[in-house]
Amino acid sequence: MDERSDGATGAGQPGAFARAWARAVSGTSYLPMTQAQLEELLQRLTDRLSEALVSEPFDPRVGYQIGAELVEAHVASAEGLGRTVEVVQLRLLRDLGLVAEDVEEDRMARLLASVATGYARALRDRTLDEQESIRRAAMVARAQAERALRESEARFRHQATHDPLTGLPNRTLFTERLAAALDGPGRATDRVGVCFLDLDRFKVVNDSLGHQVGDRLLVSVADRLRLTLGGHLVARLGGDEFVVLVERTTCTDDAVKVAEAALTAVSEPALVDGHELTVSASIGIVERPVAGTSPVDLMRAADSTLHWAKAAGGARWTLFDADRNRQELERWALSAAIPGALERGEFYLDYQPLTSLRDGVVIGAEALVRWRHPEFGELRPDSFIGLAEETGLIVPLGGWVLAEACREAATWSPAGAPAPFVSVNLAVRQVHRPGLVQEVVDVLERTGLPPGRLQLEVTESAMMSAVEEPVRALGVLADLGVRIAIDDFGTGYCNLSYLRDLPVTELKVAGQFVAGLRAPADDPASRTDERILASLVSLAHALELTVTAEGVETEGQAERLRAIGCDTAQGWHFGRPGPAARLLEHPARPA
Ligand code: C2E
Ligand code: CA
């Protein structure tokens, strides 16, 4: 094979020049092809170069194309161009077996110049293309990111405003919608209704059948509410609490109808995990003009109203009642004022004598708390004790009563008679407090009152506790010598047999039994009451308990109580509650 045929193979096999060219440019940039493919490509270009060198007329455009093709084939670096120019200049003519005279004088230079120009242009175009596609890719990526962001925002917003269990709107969304219903444009003259719904005894389902069944029941209730009340916003506020927003009501009845539909929907039996469950609900309804109300007002009112529905036995709706609400608020305000009143010394104690029916001696006195209220005047315990028990404020108040009663009783020393004991009422909450024993022991120690001169009055219900602790605590106190009386006996469980096991020293028989003794002795009902009292007294005595009759208002009652063997009496007949000084004036009133 001669030099010429070696450099320009008709069959496209790479000749010596194409191979040398390939060697020169390989490694100058990344080439997505094998060495053989590169050689093949360069052989084609070599063929066209050699043709261009000799063809008539000379056409430099061939150079541009070759430059462009090199770039297209990724021989696309300044280095690659340099090596190309070099190898063509040095070897092309020789390798093709051409002599300089065969080629017109300046053709080689012009051809190389056009290769370089084509190469540079193609490289520039490619760079522009790349920049463009990068720009376009960036745009696409940004659009995608924005869409993803919008989607995840929507998802996030849905999650933030819906309850995951039932899929209902949650408190956040409800609050937003309620605010809009009260305050939105064109709403000023609207009316609005809120139905606050809570399942009755849902806790029993949860506790007895498990939380999973409870959850499914909630889902089923939610579905039924949504289906029935679809036109109104139904939200789950948490637990078994749901709320329905009734917008643009024309009158209270609009909201009542919604509540009735909700109660019916809830009361349908639900099949959950093979259990057929029937639940009921209570609903508090508030319906009023939007003017002059706020979301907080509305929800607070709906909440109170719901509690009224519950307190009335559940399975019903109840309508908000402004008067009732005001009374409750006043009661609450009174209760909330207890701590301040304690600090300002607004409470004081009256004492009512406990008189022995045998000899008329005042053997003890019950401490009864009173409140000298700066605004409402003298308040009887009935107006604040109940609420103080509910709120727990009875603990500090009762603590004060105990300390004050012991402090005062320690100073009693009536002439010619043993000092009476002081009898202090203990609320259920106080009896159930773990620190009771210590509190009593501390007070006795501080005041110097002997334990035998303190009596604690507890109700039957305080004793009838599932936990042993209260009874144990009273047992410890009884062992110290403190007297324990059951207050208002007969109004609660009235179970004598359990008294045997309790650390009790005395029964105080409720005034209502004693009231029967006011009627003439030959009245049959009165005779029955007397017989009941008589057997109660003898049973108590068999258990070594003393009996005090409460509410003794007449000499006749006192007489009959004495006759049946009752030990002690308390009541207006023997002395109204009053300051301790009065109690001590006549310690021993002859029977
Ligand atoms: P209670 O323990 O049954 O106290 C007797 C109540 O009957 C007293 O009412 C007393 O004034 C009244 N009373 C006394 N004799 C007669 C009578 O002959 N006829 C009539 N109709 N009533 C009579 P008060 O002082 O209003 O006390 C009411 C209740 O408040 C007490 O009932 C007691 O449960 C409770 N209470 C009073 N002070 C305290 C206290 O310091 N702590 C606790 N936890 N409760 C107290
Ligand atoms: Ca009492």
Side-chain angles (χ1 to χ4, degrees), residues 178 182 189-196 232 244-259 283-294 297-303 305 308 317-322:
L178 178 61
L182 294 186
T189 57
D190 277 6
R191 297 179 68 87
V192 68
V194 165
C195 299
F196 197 171
H232 305 287
V244 188
L245 178 63
V246 192
E247 295 186 53
R248 301 208 147 101
T249 46
T250 55
C251 60
T252 302
D253 209 37
D254 288 350
V256 169
K257 279 190 189 123
V258 169
I283 299 184
I285 307 173
V286 186
E287 196 279 337
R288 54 171 72 153
V290 303
T293 195
S294 70
D297 265 2
L298 259 179
M299 289 315 289
R300 202 183 286 144
D303 193 18
T305 315
W308 300 342
W317 54 262
T318 299
L319 206 53
F320 179 72
D321 172 349

Side-chain angles (χ1 to χ4, degrees), residues 349 352 366-370 380-382 385 389 394 398 401 424-427 430 457 487-488 508 550-553 570-573 575 577:
L349 298 180
Q352 187 175 29
E366 176 171 2
L368 294 162
V369 67
R370 276 93 181 86
R380 298 286 300 276
D382 287 338
I385 287 287
E389 290 197 28
I394 192 66
V401 170
V424 175
N425 291 285
L426 282 193
Q430 289 174 277
E457 297 190 12
D487 203 2
D488 291 326
K508 293 189 75 181
E550 295 179 337
V552 182
E553 296 182 352
Q570 173 179 8
W572 297 342
H573 176 65

Side-chain angles (χ1 to χ4, degrees), residues 453-485:
R453 286 193 52 220
L454 174 63
Q455 173 167 283
L456 299 176
E457 297 190 12
V458 299
T459 57
E460 285 174 86
S461 56
M463 292 287 218
M464 298 292 286
S465 158
V467 284
E468 304 247 307
E469 186 54 27
V471 172
R472 200 196 58 78
L474 292 174
V476 172
L477 292 172
D479 289 346
L480 287 175
V482 174
R483 308 162 63 104
I484 309 288

